[in-house]
Structures are given as structure tokens and as C-alpha cells.
Amino acid sequence: MGAIAGIYHIQGEPIPTNSSELMMSALSKYPADQSAAWQQDRIMLGCHAQWITKQAAQEILPYYDPQRGLAITADAIIDNRDELMDQLQVPHSERSCMTDSEILLLAYEKWSERMSERLVGDFAFAIWDERKQLLFGARDFSGARTLYYHHDGQRFSFCTTMTPLFALPYIHKELNERWLAEFLAIRGVFEPPDTSTTVYSHIHQLPPSHSFIISQSRLRISRYDSLASIHPLRLRSSDEYEEAFREVFQRAVTSRLRRSSLHVGAHLSGGLDSGSVASFAARALRQENRPLHTFSYIPEGEFEDWTPKHRFADERPLICQTVQYVGNIKEYYLDFKGHSPFTEIDDWLDIMESPYKFFDNSFWLRGIYKQAQQRGIGVLLNGARGNYSISWGPAIEYYAMLMKKFNWLQLSREVKQYSRNVGVGRKQLYSILYRKAFPSLVKGKVSGSSSDFPQLIHSGFAERAGIYEKLQDPSFVGIGSMDDLPADPLEARIQHFNRVNMWTATGSSGCKLSLRYSVWSHDPTNDLRVIRFCLGTPMEQFVHSGMDRALIRRSTEGWLPDSIRLNQRTRGIQAADSIHRMRSDWPVIIDELEQLSRDSRMQQFINMPVLQEALTEARQGLDPNQAYGPSIKLLMRSIILYRFLQTNF
């Protein structure tokens, strides 16, 4: 893993030597085990490598093979190596030492640009085909590794991060106002739906699940389909589904653990997803006499939990149950005292190279990577995408489907069992299901609509940027919310995986954190093999016998304690202490907000009456229980944008 860079002079003129030096020098801010560049006339490839796997230490990147006329630079860990080497007929004697970049070159020779859809793992790479005078590259299906580029018809320059591109004399910083307008207008944490754009006009991004080819002076970018041809899985019993799930999930968890001699860590909360990942990893590592190091964020000791009784702001009691039951875990509980979303802004702007919205979790996300680096962790596991893969199973939505189909017998049986499991009366459940199944017959506004969140963008800026009409479109401003996704849970899940923008911010932050701390993030719940399995499994396996998230609950019997595995009544909630953490900095926060409200440039971008209303409330002091409210989001997003503009323009 690491960072890659490259320059291709399309018209054939030689690349100045200092261009390569400028880009590679800009990458020196990140730790590396090796940094090198290869240059031949009009093509330059660079790699700033961090060795995580055993094979990486033997890898030469960039690599040029004069006999085949191929050169490659790669930021990649390929997880389905064995399957690929079978298909590529690699001799067994060569497999253990074969590097991932060598596998990529063999795959390119066999499948050409169709290779990308066959790869499982995190990757961004570029291959120079000297004989065809062609540059080809690709990015993994969910964007776990980033790849930015500049293209002006004469030159194509690319890099894992944006800053090194600005080291080149022909690339200048210019604010992309349309990107910024959409970023502000979308009320959720999601970025603009056109993932080829960035906050800079002259820097583009290769979207997830996309590849590029430059041939005969033409740049072609196309999407490949990693989830094509998923067929329904028909097994004979629920036991067989559980056994099949455990097999595919174990492979996803362990595919990297056994390739690295570095310590293995994992995010661990009190829930099913991270608990399942940790349990499968700890059991596999026990066979190698290696412990799993888990990192758990907990609130500061002075925090008074204001959350409802069915929520846990401090998940430590739940985490302890998992740790004790699973075993072979060395756990760390981290309260990050003195750190808050406000204290993290400058670091995160440097990491992301762009404004961001996920401020409430920012202090512990970065903090865990830093702790992992200090403890020699090479692979850091998480279960971030579990809600749409392993622990998917929306009971209420499924029961609403049964109601719409008038399947009363099955609905009655399920609701009766679900009522006992969650501790909610059947009458109340039927009322919820009726509103969900027949929203057009329900009077009044649906709670949770994105219209509950005030519009932060200045209407004049929205008009100037060409997105004013989009402000009236609930499916745009509410991207990722109930205004945007279909009511059918099956269709909603399909759209989640088809829309590459749903995961862009997570991929970018994970990639750039791993680069800064030389710790490779890995999410087995986002493994393509797991996703394909889950998409092919009938919905009845995910909602079953009054149980939501039923497949993972049943499959982890003996892997997780029943108190975690079967718990449908309480859940952990993160960042409930975000406002509490900022209380000592509140006068400084108010002062900066007042300063930005007087800034002429911010007045062009921000809906100042909305900001002033939130600021008036903030002057009186926001209560900790407003941690998820609109006011703190409006205020923090404004400060983050203000700092970004001050630093970069």
C-alpha cells in the first residue's frame, strides 16, 4: 500500500526531470518504507510504498518489464489472490512470493481492461503498455483507495492525494463552485453525486468502480461492474445459509491477517458488526499465537449520559462482554480527553484536502489510527458497511411489504414474535407499519424528512452555481435519506451499492488516514465476496422469526455472547458527547463564528439568516443533548468551510 503518482505527456514530449521530483517530494510528508520513480521519455510512474504484507517487502514499484513492454505502479492489496492465481495458472511454487503488482500485470495481460471486475481488495493502479502506447488504470469498487488526476489534453497527471498535483507548475488551485454548492446543499453527510469532481476545478477524481484508458490522445473513463451476474442463492435450510455465511465471512476476515507479520487491530463497539469482525479475527489469530488488539472509543469520565434508556453512549459494558466471551483480545478503551470535533478541524482539513461533514466522530477516528500506529498495528479491521451487508435485515420495512401484499398470516406471526423481542406492543407496531406501508393515506408531514434541516447554502450562490432548482428536489438535498431511497428495502439496498457516491467520503477518509499513519484499514463487511453472498441470499434469511439482522445473529451463535447476539432492545450511540467535549472551547468557537459571519466571502456562500439563528442559540450555550441537532451541524460545517477557504484561497 502507499501512494502512487504519475505523469503522461500525451503528445509525446519528454517529461522534465524536476516534475517527477516535485511530485515525489510532496509525498514525503507521509511515512514510507521505500519511495521511487521510473521515467521513460513521456511517461513517469512513482510509488511511495508502505509495506504491510509479507510480499510487499519484496515488491519493486514502480516496476518495468522491458520484455513485455509493461510498467506498473500500484497502491493495492488484493484479497482474492488464490482465486486469481488459479485462473492465471500460476505455478504453486511461485505463489507465496508473488507480489500483488505481479498478479495485476498477469491479469492485465489475460483480461485487459476487463480485469478490474475480477479483483477483490483495495486498489488503485496504473499500467503503461509500451507496445500499445496505452495508459490504463482503475480504482476499487467502493473507493477504498483514492486516485485524483489532472487532464488538459496535453498531459495526464495523477496521484493518490491532491496536494502533489499542485506541485506541478501547470496545475493551479481554483475553487469548483458547483461542487461546493452541492456539498452545502446536500443536508446529509454525503458528497455531491458526481464523484468525478472535487472542490478544485482542475482536479478530478476517478470514481469508485471505474477505470481509465488513454490511447491515441483520448481519455476514456468507464464503469466496470463488480456486482454483475449475482444469482439467487437457493440452499436447503437455514443451517446451510449460516454455514455458508461463516465460510465466506471467515475468508474475508482472514485474507489479510495471514499476509502480514505486523500486529492486527480492530475497531470494537458494543454492536454486532464490529463484534463479529473481532470474533472471527481473534479466533483466526489464536491459531498463530497472535492477539487481536481492539480499540474502543468511550466518552470522557465527566460526561453525563443524556441519551434514552435504550441507548448507550458508553458502550464499555457491552464491549467487555464481547472481549471476555471471545478471548485472545488485548483491548484499549480510549476517551481522548482534551480532544473534540473543534480541536480536530485543522488536522482533518490537512488529511482530507477538502471540506468535510463527519465532524462529530472525527476526534476518535483519527485518534484510533494514531494509537494503532504507536502500537505497531499494520492492519486495522472495522465493520463499517455491515448495515448493508452482514447485518442487513430491516424488519419494519419487511413487515410493511407483507402488509402491502395483505399477507396477514405471516405478518401476524412475525409481529407477535418481534413484539416480544423488542419490547414494543403489537398495537404500536401495527400503527408504525401502517404509516410505513401506506404513507399517502397518513396525514401530516413524515417525521425525519430532510426538510427538518435548514438550508445552509445562500440562494444567490446556488443560482450562480447552477443548482438553484435542485434545492427544491427532496431526492437531491436529502441524498441518502428516506427522501432519496425507495421504500422497498430490497431496492434501497441495490441502489446503495449502485450509487458510488454513497461511500466516497468513507473511502477517502480511510485511505488518507491509512496513508498518514501507515495503517491499512480493512472492512470485511465490505468484501465483494461477502456482498455478493448477501445480495444473493433471500430476504427471509435476514428477517426471520421476529428477528431483524437475523442471518448474522444466527450465524454468530458460539462466536458472540447471546447478550450481544440476540439484543434487539438496546444499542450503542456514538458521539453523544461531542458538544460536551467542546464546552471549554465554546468562547473561542463563538468568536470564530462571529468572525466568519462578517467575512464577505462567507456571506456569498452561506445562508446567513440561518447561521445567525443557530449562532444566537449557541451564544446561550448548546445543551449536550443537542449533539445530533441541526444547529451544531450548521455551525461546525460553516467553521470547517471557513478554515478551508482561509488556508487554500
Side-chain angles (χ1 to χ4, degrees):
M1 74 171 237
I4 60 175
I7 303 172
Y8 177 39
H9 279 191
I10 298 170
Q11 302 303 323
E13 69 275 15
I15 298 172
T17 305
N18 70 324
S19 294
S20 172
E21 294 172 351
L22 288 170
M23 289 192 77
M24 298 309 294
S25 177
L27 286 172
S28 63
K29 63 182 287 188
Y30 303 110
D33 295 294
Q34 186 179 54
S35 189
W38 168 85
Q39 188 168 329
Q40 184 186 81
D41 299 327
R42 61 174 174 161
I43 183 76
M44 184 281 286
L45 301 177
C47 185
H48 195 72
Q50 299 171 337
W51 297 339
I52 301 299
T53 65
K54 297 172 184 176
Q55 294 83 4
Q58 312 301 321
E59 198 164 28
I60 299 172
L61 283 173
Y63 173 73
Y64 171 62
D65 184 343
Q67 292 185 333
R68 292 187 288 177
L70 296 176
I72 185 172
T73 186
D75 169 26
I77 292 184
I78 305 302
D79 292 329
N80 62 333
R81 286 168 50 93
D82 293 340
E83 176 188 346
L84 290 171
M85 288 189 287
D86 284 341
Q87 296 169 358
L88 295 167
Q89 298 181 333
V90 176
H92 285 273
S93 60
E94 300 176 10
R95 295 189 177 191
S96 62
C97 296
M98 179 165 279
T99 66
D100 288 353
S101 58
E102 289 175 316
I103 293 175
L104 291 174
L105 282 181
L106 289 174
Y108 172 75
E109 287 186 293
K110 185 175 180 64
W111 298 302
S112 187
E113 61 184 276
R114 296 296 303 272
M115 65 178 284
S116 307
E117 62 199 46
R118 296 174 177 267
L119 304 177
V120 176
D122 303 339
F123 59 82
F125 63 84
I127 295 173
W128 169 242
D129 191 327
E130 186 176 52
R131 295 173 182 173
K132 294 181 180 179
Q133 291 292 287
L134 175 151
L135 184 66
F136 169 73
R139 187 179 176 198
D140 64 84
F141 98 103
S142 65
R145 307 308 291 176
T146 52
L147 194 64
Y148 300 98
Y149 69 90
H150 167 83
H151 177 240
D152 60 9
Q154 306 295 315
R155 294 157 296 209
F156 180 82
S157 310
F158 65 88
C159 192
T160 301
T161 60
M162 291 188 275
T163 302
L165 293 170
F166 291 120
L168 298 172
Y170 51 86
I171 304 178
H172 306 287
K173 282 188 178 181
E174 181 180 318
L175 183 65
N176 183 346
E177 291 198 346
R178 186 178 181 90
W179 185 95
L180 180 59
E182 293 191 353
F183 177 83
L184 291 173
I186 296 169
R187 293 182 167 110
V189 297
F190 301 98
E191 295 188 355
D194 183 358
T195 53
S196 68
T197 62
T198 73
V199 70
Y200 297 107
S201 295
H202 303 300
I203 302 293
H204 298 274
Q205 181 175 199
L206 185 68
S209 295
H210 281 68
S211 62
F212 72 83
I213 290 179
I214 302 180
S215 178
Q216 297 179 346
S217 302
R218 178 172 172 258
L219 170 64
R220 177 167 62 89
I221 293 176
S222 57
R223 181 168 183 172
Y224 62 86
D225 192 353
S226 297
L227 299 175
S229 304
I230 293 177
H231 302 291
L233 184 63
R234 302 298 182 196
L235 302 180
R236 289 175 295 183
S237 66
S238 292
D239 288 344
E240 288 192 2
Y241 281 106
E242 294 161 24
E243 182 180 352
F245 169 80
R246 284 190 291 268
E247 180 181 345
V248 71
F249 189 59
Q250 183 75 71
R251 188 162 65 247
V253 172
T254 59
S255 57
R256 294 195 188 175
L257 310 189
R258 290 167 180 162
R259 293 187 61 199
S260 178
S261 57
L262 300 172
H263 294 313
V264 178
H267 292 263
L268 182 59
S269 68
L272 274 173
D273 297 330
S274 64
S276 298
V277 170
S279 177
F280 278 70
R283 184 173 294 195
L285 289 169
R286 183 184 288 114
Q287 299 174 7
E288 303 174 18
N289 199 29
R290 301 164 67 192
L292 175 69
H293 301 255
T294 61
F295 301 89
S296 305
Y297 144 71
I298 57 174
E300 290 181 324
E302 301 84 2
F303 173 68
E304 295 182 8
D305 192 350
W306 53 266
T307 58
K309 291 183 179 180
H310 63 280
R311 294 285 195 174
F312 285 98
D314 185 351
E315 300 183 65
R316 187 166 19 189
L318 302 175
I319 297 168
C320 286
Q321 294 174 44
T322 296
V323 168
Q324 293 169 7
Y325 186 88
V326 171
N328 195 40
I329 289 177
K330 186 173 183 179
E331 73 270 33
Y332 304 96
Y333 300 99
L334 308 168
D335 66 5
F336 302 110
K337 189 174 181 62
H339 294 272
S340 76
F342 182 73
T343 62
E344 295 291 297
I345 292 175
D346 289 337
D347 273 320
W348 269 101
L349 286 174
D350 182 58
I351 292 168
M352 293 299 292
E353 308 174 288
S354 175
Y356 62 93
K357 294 180 179 178
F358 50 87
F359 65 88
D360 42 6
N361 291 335
S362 60
F363 65 93
W364 63 261
L365 282 174
R366 188 178 74 87
I368 285 178
Y369 271 86
K370 188 175 181 179
Q371 290 287 324
Q373 180 193 46
Q374 293 173 354
R375 288 173 168 79
I377 303 297
V379 178
L380 183 63
L381 303 171
N382 69 78
R385 207 167 195 172
N387 285 344
Y388 282 91
S389 59
I390 67 169
S391 65
W392 186 72
I396 294 298
E397 286 76 7
Y398 177 61
Y399 298 156
M401 286 176 56
L402 295 179
M403 180 175 283
K404 284 196 289 186
K405 294 178 181 178
F406 302 106
N407 192 337
W408 299 114
L409 182 61
Q410 185 178 356
L411 177 64
S412 175
R413 183 168 57 246
E414 285 284 342
V415 168
K416 182 178 180 180
Q417 293 173 301
Y418 187 73
S419 173
R420 289 199 298 264
N421 289 342
V422 300
V424 176
R426 278 180 280 176
K427 183 177 180 180
Q428 183 179 348
L429 284 175
Y430 279 118
S431 176
I432 294 170
L433 294 176
Y434 179 78
R435 293 196 299 272
K436 177 75 71 172
F438 308 107
S440 61
L441 302 180
V442 180
K443 296 181 180 180
K445 185 179 68 173
V446 178
S447 62
S449 170
S450 66
S451 59
D452 295 337
F453 191 89
Q455 185 50 261
L456 182 59
I457 188 173
H458 190 292
S459 59
F461 176 47
E463 187 171 8
R464 185 171 82 244
I467 71 155
Y468 184 76
E469 291 184 357
K470 288 187 175 183
L471 299 183
Q472 314 308 317
D473 181 2
S475 66
F476 173 77
V477 297
I479 284 176
S481 71
M482 65 177 64
D483 291 328
D484 174 48
L485 295 174
D488 185 325
L490 289 167
E491 182 60 30
R493 183 172 63 158
I494 291 171
Q495 288 198 23
H496 172 87
F497 286 112
N498 282 338
R499 296 179 183 179
V500 292
N501 68 301
M502 301 295 283
W503 217 240
T504 305
T506 303
S508 297
S509 62
C511 174
K512 293 176 180 180
L513 281 168
S514 74
L515 190 59
R516 171 179 274 209
Y517 294 106
S518 195
V519 175
W520 191 285
S521 174
H522 177 47
D523 181 2
T525 70
N526 193 39
D527 186 288
L528 272 168
R529 294 163 295 191
V530 171
I531 291 172
R532 289 167 182 156
F533 174 88
C534 291
L535 288 176
T537 299
M539 187 168 186
E540 291 74 18
Q541 292 297 320
F542 292 97
V543 182
H544 184 74
S545 300
M547 190 183 295
D548 64 3
R549 309 166 79 183
L551 181 60
I552 189 66
R553 294 186 192 279
R554 302 194 322 266
S555 300
T556 52
E557 183 176 6
W559 295 75
L560 287 174
D562 287 353
S563 57
I564 302 297
R565 184 176 68 87
L566 301 178
N567 174 28
Q568 291 183 247
R569 299 197 176 196
T570 59
R571 292 184 65 182
I573 186 169
Q574 295 171 337
D577 64 340
S578 58
I579 291 179
H580 162 83
R581 287 177 175 273
M582 292 189 280
R583 69 194 188 285
S584 61
D585 290 313
W586 207 248
V588 180
I589 295 172
I590 298 299
D591 183 66
E592 185 166 4
L593 286 165
E594 291 177 340
Q595 183 179 340
L596 77 84
S597 68
R598 295 190 297 268
D599 185 90
S600 59
R601 183 168 50 182
M602 291 294 290
Q603 289 171 357
Q604 297 177 35
F605 296 145
I606 298 297
N607 184 350
M608 281 299 167
V610 164
L611 180 64
Q612 287 294 344
E613 185 176 347
L615 180 53
T616 298
E617 187 179 1
R619 288 191 187 101
Q620 300 169 1
L622 295 181
D623 193 274
N625 64 16
Q626 294 175 273
Y628 306 111
S631 293
I632 191 62
K633 293 178 182 178
L634 293 168
L635 298 173
M636 286 296 292
R637 290 180 187 182
S638 297
I639 292 175
I640 290 167
L641 174 59
Y642 181 56
R643 296 258 192 105
F644 173 78
L645 294 173
Q646 281 187 313
T647 303
N648 293 280
F649 297 99

